[in-house]
Amino acid sequence: MEIKQDKAWQQAISCLQPPRAAQLAALDRQGEVEELRLRAGQPPAAKTAEGEQPLDLRPVTAQELRETLSRAARYSVHSYAESLKNGFVTLGGGHRLGVCGTVAEENGQVVGVRGLASLNLRIARQFTGLAAQIVPWIGDGAPQSVLLLSPPGLGKTTLLREWVRLVSDKGYTVAVADERSEIAALADGVPQFDVGRCTDVMEGCDKKQAALMLLKTMSPALLAFDEITAPADVEAVSLCAHCGTAVVASAHAADVDDLRRRPLYRAMLELGVFGRAVVITRKGQERCYRMERLEEGTCSS
């Protein structure tokens, strides 16, 4: 089931206080807003492909930030303590509310954010128009491993979701380790995004633990991860390699050279799992996609 752009916007802003949500209800009729920024003492700002622009609305208050976070956490912030350690709350439909302010620490570990300074509401959408671009890369045979690269905010999750959907609808069993509930966005067990007819989703736990469970119980031909950011995530990729399961995963990097400069990703590449990478860039308002072969350093559009 595809979330239409208008529905996605209405769903995302439902975490706002009703007066603010009413002000913003008609803002995104064209589905162009990627993020809504709320900063204490400033008007809300909308981020599109053209950049961030302030809105002609009353400034955001500290109380509004606190109430928005409480609404996003369904008035049970302690239930979201684990994700708040990482600075965000995932909303229904895969939208994400980033949190910024004064970090609270215990024994040198981040335990949350207090004294809120700003919130960033990232809007999750599904774009099936990517299919024509990526179907030739997926090919006709069994799933092959691929890494999806871009800086933050260029649509790695959107691309990963489409890759999963297309492979799954070819009849291959796909498993999704949806750590932040953004890829499939389960609601009562039903994905709110179309991730294909042969897809099984494990959400709400770390990638390594999810991989262990999915590999043992669901026998996937392809396992999908979003945002490889920690050594444990690389271990999850390694588990798949040892089981002969292909992997589609995303990583923050501007291109393959940038990827290779980072120690974590160098260790991942040394596993030999990924022979190809899709690099996402932006030209003006358009996103561009190119395939690069990691072992050869060559690329094709």
Side-chain angles (χ1 to χ4, degrees), residues 193-212:
F193 290 110
D194 185 354
V195 289
R197 62 183 177 84
C198 302
T199 300
D200 304 300
V201 180
M202 184 77 72
E203 69 172 27
C205 67
D206 66 78
K207 299 178 186 69
K208 182 179 178 182
Q209 187 61 41
L212 282 168

Side-chain angles (χ1 to χ4, degrees), residues 143 160-161 163-165 167-169 171-179 183-184 186 191 195-203 207 209-226 236 240 245-249:
L160 184 143
R161 187 185 297 121
W163 202 283
V164 165
R165 181 181 72 86
V167 172
S168 176
D169 282 346
Y172 291 101
T173 301
V174 180
V176 175
D178 199 358
E179 185 173 5
I183 301 171
L186 296 181
V195 289
R197 62 183 177 84
C198 302
T199 300
D200 304 300
V201 180
M202 184 77 72
E203 69 172 27
K207 299 178 186 69
Q209 187 61 41
L212 282 168
M213 292 188 285
L214 289 165
L215 290 168
K216 288 179 180 179
T217 61
M218 308 312 290
S219 303
L222 177 71
L223 209 156
F225 303 104
D226 202 10
C240 296
T245 298
V247 178
V248 55

Side-chain angles (χ1 to χ4, degrees), residues 123-178:
I123 315 303
R125 294 191 173 93
Q126 183 155 27
F127 293 101
T128 56
L130 292 173
Q133 175 87 48
I134 64 178
V135 161
W137 294 335
I138 290 174
D140 297 323
Q144 301 295 313
S145 295
V146 64
L147 197 57
L148 313 178
L149 307 179
S150 85
L154 286 192
K156 291 185 296 296
T157 302
T158 300
L159 177 59
L160 184 143
R161 187 185 297 121
E162 276 300 277
W163 202 283
V164 165
R165 181 181 72 86
L166 292 167
V167 172
S168 176
D169 282 346
K170 288 174 61 180
Y172 291 101
T173 301
V174 180
V176 175
D178 199 358

Side-chain angles (χ1 to χ4, degrees), residues 2-301:
E2 181 175 347
I3 294 182
K4 296 180 180 179
Q5 292 183 350
D6 182 60
K7 181 178 177 181
W9 175 250
Q10 300 301 325
Q11 185 181 50
I13 66 173
S14 65
C15 69
L16 306 179
Q17 291 180 300
R20 182 68 81 187
Q23 286 181 330
L24 295 167
L27 174 66
D28 194 33
R29 294 187 184 278
Q30 303 302 316
E32 296 176 347
V33 176
E34 299 171 358
E35 298 176 352
L36 179 70
R37 301 272 181 161
L38 303 174
R39 299 183 176 95
Q42 297 186 34
K47 183 179 179 182
T48 67
E50 297 179 343
E52 184 178 319
Q53 294 293 329
L55 304 174
D56 187 18
L57 299 172
R58 60 175 172 79
V60 175
T61 66
Q63 174 59 33
E64 181 178 358
L65 294 178
R66 291 192 292 271
E67 177 64 18
T68 299
L69 178 58
S70 293
R71 289 174 60 88
R74 302 178 184 180
Y75 296 97
S76 181
V77 173
H78 69 276
S79 299
Y80 291 81
E82 195 61 36
S83 65
L84 283 169
K85 290 179 184 179
N86 295 305
F88 68 89
V89 171
T90 302
L91 312 176
H95 314 291
R96 184 167 63 179
L97 187 70
V99 178
C100 205
T102 304
V103 170
E105 290 187 331
E106 289 182 4
N107 301 319
Q109 299 294 317
V110 174
V111 295
V113 177
R114 56 182 174 82
L116 294 177
S118 58
L119 299 173
N120 179 28
L121 181 59
R122 295 184 63 178
I123 315 303
R125 294 191 173 93
Q126 183 155 27
F127 293 101
T128 56
L130 292 173
Q133 175 87 48
I134 64 178
V135 161
W137 294 335
I138 290 174
D140 297 323
Q144 301 295 313
S145 295
V146 64
L147 197 57
L148 313 178
L149 307 179
S150 85
L154 286 192
K156 291 185 296 296
T157 302
T158 300
L159 177 59
L160 184 143
R161 187 185 297 121
E162 276 300 277
W163 202 283
V164 165
R165 181 181 72 86
L166 292 167
V167 172
S168 176
D169 282 346
K170 288 174 61 180
Y172 291 101
T173 301
V174 180
V176 175
D178 199 358
E179 185 173 5
R180 296 189 308 242
S181 306
E182 294 180 321
I183 301 171
L186 296 181
D188 294 326
V190 179
Q192 300 306 288
F193 290 110
D194 185 354
V195 289
R197 62 183 177 84
C198 302
T199 300
D200 304 300
V201 180
M202 184 77 72
E203 69 172 27
C205 67
D206 66 78
K207 299 178 186 69
K208 182 179 178 182
Q209 187 61 41
L212 282 168
M213 292 188 285
L214 289 165
L215 290 168
K216 288 179 180 179
T217 61
M218 308 312 290
S219 303
L222 177 71
L223 209 156
F225 303 104
D226 202 10
E227 296 192 5
I228 303 297
T229 57
D233 300 343
V234 175
E235 291 179 30
V237 173
S238 179
L239 287 171
C240 296
H242 289 135
C243 293
T245 298
V247 178
V248 55
S250 65
H252 290 307
D255 52 32
V256 171
D257 288 338
D258 185 30
L259 186 80
R260 288 178 173 139
R261 283 193 290 267
R262 306 187 187 198
L264 175 70
Y265 296 141
R266 284 203 303 271
M268 181 176 66
L269 292 176
E270 287 172 1
L271 296 173
V273 174
F274 299 104
R276 305 177 301 160
V278 176
V279 180
I280 311 172
T281 57
R282 175 174 276 163
K283 185 176 181 180
Q285 297 184 42
E286 294 186 3
R287 289 179 174 85
C288 303
Y289 304 85
R290 70 176 186 270
M291 174 71 77
E292 296 198 12
R293 298 197 177 279
L294 291 170
E295 69 274 12
E296 299 173 6
T298 59
C299 57
S300 59
S301 58

